[in-house]
Amino acid sequence: MVEPVLCVTVSAPVASFRRPLDHNYQRTLPMPPPTTLLGLAGAALGLPEWELWGDLSPLRSVKVSVWMEAEPGQAHDMWTLLKIDKGKMNRSPYFRELLFGARYTLVYGGEEAILRELERGFHEPAFALSLGREDELVSVCEVRRQRAASGNSVLWGTVVPGDWRSLGARPVLRPGARLFPPVVERLPVRFEIDKQVRHPQDYRFFTFLPLSLEVEIPGLSALQCEGRNFVWLNS
C-alpha cells in the first residue's frame, strides 16, 4: 500500500499542549494532539473555526499524524490571575508546563487536491501559525510531498491511537537505553461549533511515545515515510 502524504516540519521556541482537565497546574502533552494538527492546517488555509469544524470543511476527510524530531527542553511557568469574588480582588496562581526548542514533522493524508492546497497554504499561510496558545508561533522549516508505504510496528517519538495499557507494546531493549514512560490521554478528534463556542467531540485514547522509547506493538497497521513509522490518528 502506497499513499500520498504531505510532511511539514515545524519548529517553535516555546510550545504547550494543555491536557483537557488540567486547571491550576497545566501539564503539557509532548506533541500536538489531532485537533491542534487540524487547527494548524485550517490556519494555513485561512479557515474560520465554524468552517474548519463544519460538515462541509475541506479538511473533513484529512488524516493527521505527527512525529518528534528532537526532544524538547521543559520548564514550568507560574502565572497569577486576579479574580473578583464577592467584590474583592483575589490572586490565584497557576503553573504551566512549557516545551522549549520543539521540532516536529506533521503528516497529512488525503486526496491529492487537498494536499496540494495544504502545500500552498503552508508555504504562504493565510493566518499566523501557532501550536497551543496563539502567541506560541511556529516556523515552517520544510514542506514536502511524499509517498507513505506500509511500515512495521516499531515506533518511537510519535503518537498512536489507544491506551498503552491495552496495546500489548514491548520495549525494544538496547544496552544503555533509558526508558521513560509514555503519556496516555483521552482527547477529542474534532469540535462542533455552537454559537461560537467549541464543543469537543469523539473522544479517544492516545499514547504519546517519547523519542527515547522504541516499542514494538504487535498487530499494529503502520505506515512508513522518511524512515519513520506512524499511524493515522483520526481515521
Side-chain angles (χ1 to χ4, degrees), residues 197-219:
V197 177
R198 294 194 311 186
H199 298 278
Q201 302 291 323
D202 197 3
Y203 275 88
R204 305 176 192 177
F205 280 102
F206 294 96
T207 297
F208 293 75
L209 298 172
L211 197 60
S212 59
L213 178 61
E214 188 174 345
V215 299
E216 181 180 8
I217 304 177

Short mmCIF file of all heavy atoms in Angstrom, two decimals, residues 197-219:
data_model
loop_
_atom_site.label_atom_id
_atom_site.label_comp_id
_atom_site.label_asym_id
_atom_site.label_seq_id
_atom_site.Cartn_x
_atom_site.Cartn_y
_atom_site.Cartn_z
N VAL A 197 -19.04 28.74 20.24
CA VAL A 197 -18.40 28.00 21.32
C VAL A 197 -18.03 26.61 20.82
O VAL A 197 -18.85 25.92 20.20
CB VAL A 197 -19.34 27.88 22.55
CG1 VAL A 197 -18.67 27.04 23.65
CG2 VAL A 197 -19.69 29.26 23.07
N ARG A 198 -16.79 26.18 21.08
CA ARG A 198 -16.34 24.86 20.64
C ARG A 198 -16.76 23.79 21.64
O ARG A 198 -16.57 23.95 22.85
CB ARG A 198 -14.82 24.83 20.50
CG ARG A 198 -14.29 25.71 19.40
CD ARG A 198 -12.85 25.40 19.08
NE ARG A 198 -11.99 25.32 20.25
CZ ARG A 198 -10.68 25.16 20.22
NH1 ARG A 198 -10.08 25.05 19.04
NH2 ARG A 198 -9.98 25.11 21.31
N HIS A 199 -17.29 22.69 21.12
CA HIS A 199 -17.66 21.57 21.96
C HIS A 199 -16.88 20.34 21.47
O HIS A 199 -17.06 19.90 20.33
CB HIS A 199 -19.17 21.29 21.86
CG HIS A 199 -20.02 22.45 22.33
ND1 HIS A 199 -20.30 22.66 23.65
CD2 HIS A 199 -20.61 23.46 21.64
CE1 HIS A 199 -21.05 23.75 23.77
NE2 HIS A 199 -21.25 24.26 22.57
N PRO A 200 -16.01 19.79 22.33
CA PRO A 200 -15.22 18.62 21.91
C PRO A 200 -16.10 17.43 21.59
O PRO A 200 -17.10 17.17 22.28
CB PRO A 200 -14.34 18.34 23.14
CG PRO A 200 -14.39 19.58 23.96
CD PRO A 200 -15.72 20.21 23.71
N GLN A 201 -15.72 16.67 20.56
CA GLN A 201 -16.49 15.51 20.12
C GLN A 201 -15.56 14.32 19.87
O GLN A 201 -14.38 14.49 19.58
CB GLN A 201 -17.26 15.83 18.82
CG GLN A 201 -18.19 17.01 18.92
CD GLN A 201 -19.41 16.74 19.80
OE1 GLN A 201 -19.93 15.64 19.79
NE2 GLN A 201 -19.83 17.74 20.57
N ASP A 202 -16.14 13.12 19.94
CA ASP A 202 -15.46 11.89 19.55
C ASP A 202 -14.15 11.70 20.33
O ASP A 202 -13.06 11.69 19.77
CB ASP A 202 -15.19 11.92 18.04
CG ASP A 202 -14.88 10.54 17.49
OD1 ASP A 202 -14.92 9.56 18.25
OD2 ASP A 202 -14.56 10.44 16.29
N TYR A 203 -14.29 11.53 21.64
CA TYR A 203 -13.11 11.31 22.49
C TYR A 203 -12.53 9.91 22.24
O TYR A 203 -13.26 8.93 22.11
CB TYR A 203 -13.49 11.44 23.97
CG TYR A 203 -13.48 12.86 24.48
CD1 TYR A 203 -14.61 13.66 24.37
CD2 TYR A 203 -12.34 13.39 25.06
CE1 TYR A 203 -14.60 14.96 24.83
CE2 TYR A 203 -12.32 14.69 25.54
CZ TYR A 203 -13.45 15.47 25.43
OH TYR A 203 -13.44 16.75 25.89
N ARG A 204 -11.20 9.86 22.22
CA ARG A 204 -10.49 8.58 22.07
C ARG A 204 -9.22 8.63 22.91
O ARG A 204 -8.70 9.71 23.22
CB ARG A 204 -10.12 8.33 20.61
CG ARG A 204 -11.28 8.38 19.63
CD ARG A 204 -10.80 8.21 18.20
NE ARG A 204 -11.85 8.53 17.25
CZ ARG A 204 -11.68 8.52 15.92
NH1 ARG A 204 -10.51 8.18 15.39
NH2 ARG A 204 -12.69 8.85 15.12
N PHE A 205 -8.69 7.45 23.25
CA PHE A 205 -7.41 7.38 23.96
C PHE A 205 -6.25 7.45 22.96
O PHE A 205 -6.32 6.88 21.87
CB PHE A 205 -7.30 6.09 24.77
CG PHE A 205 -8.04 6.16 26.08
CD1 PHE A 205 -9.27 5.55 26.23
CD2 PHE A 205 -7.49 6.85 27.16
CE1 PHE A 205 -9.95 5.60 27.44
CE2 PHE A 205 -8.16 6.92 28.37
CZ PHE A 205 -9.39 6.30 28.52
N PHE A 206 -5.20 8.16 23.38
CA PHE A 206 -3.97 8.24 22.59
C PHE A 206 -2.77 8.02 23.51
O PHE A 206 -2.79 8.45 24.66
CB PHE A 206 -3.84 9.59 21.89
CG PHE A 206 -4.89 9.83 20.85
CD1 PHE A 206 -6.04 10.55 21.15
CD2 PHE A 206 -4.74 9.32 19.57
CE1 PHE A 206 -7.02 10.76 20.20
CE2 PHE A 206 -5.72 9.52 18.61
CZ PHE A 206 -6.86 10.24 18.92
N THR A 207 -1.74 7.38 22.96
CA THR A 207 -0.49 7.16 23.68
C THR A 207 0.63 7.95 23.00
O THR A 207 0.87 7.77 21.81
CB THR A 207 -0.13 5.66 23.72
OG1 THR A 207 -1.15 4.96 24.44
CG2 THR A 207 1.21 5.45 24.40
N PHE A 208 1.28 8.81 23.77
CA PHE A 208 2.36 9.65 23.26
C PHE A 208 3.69 8.98 23.62
O PHE A 208 4.07 8.93 24.80
CB PHE A 208 2.29 11.05 23.87
CG PHE A 208 1.08 11.84 23.43
CD1 PHE A 208 -0.19 11.55 23.92
CD2 PHE A 208 1.21 12.88 22.52
CE1 PHE A 208 -1.30 12.27 23.52
CE2 PHE A 208 0.10 13.61 22.11
CZ PHE A 208 -1.16 13.30 22.60
N LEU A 209 4.41 8.49 22.62
CA LEU A 209 5.66 7.76 22.85
C LEU A 209 6.83 8.73 22.87
O LEU A 209 7.01 9.50 21.92
CB LEU A 209 5.87 6.72 21.75
CG LEU A 209 4.81 5.62 21.64
CD1 LEU A 209 5.07 4.79 20.38
CD2 LEU A 209 4.83 4.74 22.88
N PRO A 210 7.66 8.70 23.91
CA PRO A 210 8.85 9.57 23.93
C PRO A 210 9.82 9.19 22.81
O PRO A 210 9.79 8.07 22.30
CB PRO A 210 9.47 9.30 25.31
CG PRO A 210 8.44 8.59 26.10
CD PRO A 210 7.55 7.89 25.12
N LEU A 211 10.69 10.13 22.48
CA LEU A 211 11.69 9.87 21.43
C LEU A 211 12.65 8.75 21.86
O LEU A 211 13.16 8.01 21.03
CB LEU A 211 12.46 11.15 21.14
CG LEU A 211 13.26 11.22 19.84
CD1 LEU A 211 12.37 11.03 18.64
CD2 LEU A 211 14.01 12.54 19.75
N SER A 212 12.87 8.62 23.16
CA SER A 212 13.84 7.65 23.66
C SER A 212 13.24 6.27 23.87
O SER A 212 13.96 5.33 24.21
CB SER A 212 14.43 8.14 24.98
OG SER A 212 13.39 8.33 25.93
N LEU A 213 11.93 6.14 23.70
CA LEU A 213 11.27 4.85 23.95
C LEU A 213 10.86 4.22 22.63
O LEU A 213 9.91 4.65 21.98
CB LEU A 213 10.04 5.05 24.84
CG LEU A 213 9.23 3.78 25.15
CD1 LEU A 213 10.09 2.76 25.88
CD2 LEU A 213 7.99 4.12 25.95
N GLU A 214 11.60 3.20 22.22
CA GLU A 214 11.28 2.47 20.99
C GLU A 214 10.49 1.23 21.37
O GLU A 214 10.95 0.43 22.20
CB GLU A 214 12.57 2.09 20.26
CG GLU A 214 12.35 1.51 18.88
CD GLU A 214 13.67 1.30 18.15
OE1 GLU A 214 14.69 1.87 18.60
OE2 GLU A 214 13.68 0.55 17.17
N VAL A 215 9.31 1.08 20.79
CA VAL A 215 8.45 -0.04 21.18
C VAL A 215 7.96 -0.77 19.93
O VAL A 215 7.85 -0.19 18.85
CB VAL A 215 7.23 0.43 22.00
CG1 VAL A 215 7.67 1.11 23.28
CG2 VAL A 215 6.34 1.34 21.18
N GLU A 216 7.66 -2.02 20.12
CA GLU A 216 7.01 -2.82 19.09
C GLU A 216 5.59 -3.10 19.55
O GLU A 216 5.37 -3.54 20.68
CB GLU A 216 7.76 -4.13 18.86
CG GLU A 216 7.12 -4.98 17.77
CD GLU A 216 7.87 -6.28 17.53
OE1 GLU A 216 8.79 -6.58 18.32
OE2 GLU A 216 7.53 -6.99 16.57
N ILE A 217 4.63 -2.80 18.68
CA ILE A 217 3.23 -3.01 19.03
C ILE A 217 2.68 -4.05 18.06
O ILE A 217 2.35 -3.73 16.91
CB ILE A 217 2.43 -1.69 18.93
CG1 ILE A 217 3.08 -0.61 19.82
CG2 ILE A 217 0.98 -1.91 19.35
CD1 ILE A 217 2.42 0.74 19.74
N PRO A 218 2.61 -5.30 18.49
CA PRO A 218 2.17 -6.38 17.58
C PRO A 218 0.76 -6.11 17.03
O PRO A 218 -0.13 -5.66 17.76
CB PRO A 218 2.17 -7.61 18.49
CG PRO A 218 3.10 -7.27 19.61
CD PRO A 218 2.96 -5.79 19.83
N GLY A 219 0.60 -6.38 15.76
CA GLY A 219 -0.71 -6.24 15.13
C GLY A 219 -1.05 -4.84 14.69
O GLY A 219 -2.11 -4.63 14.09
#
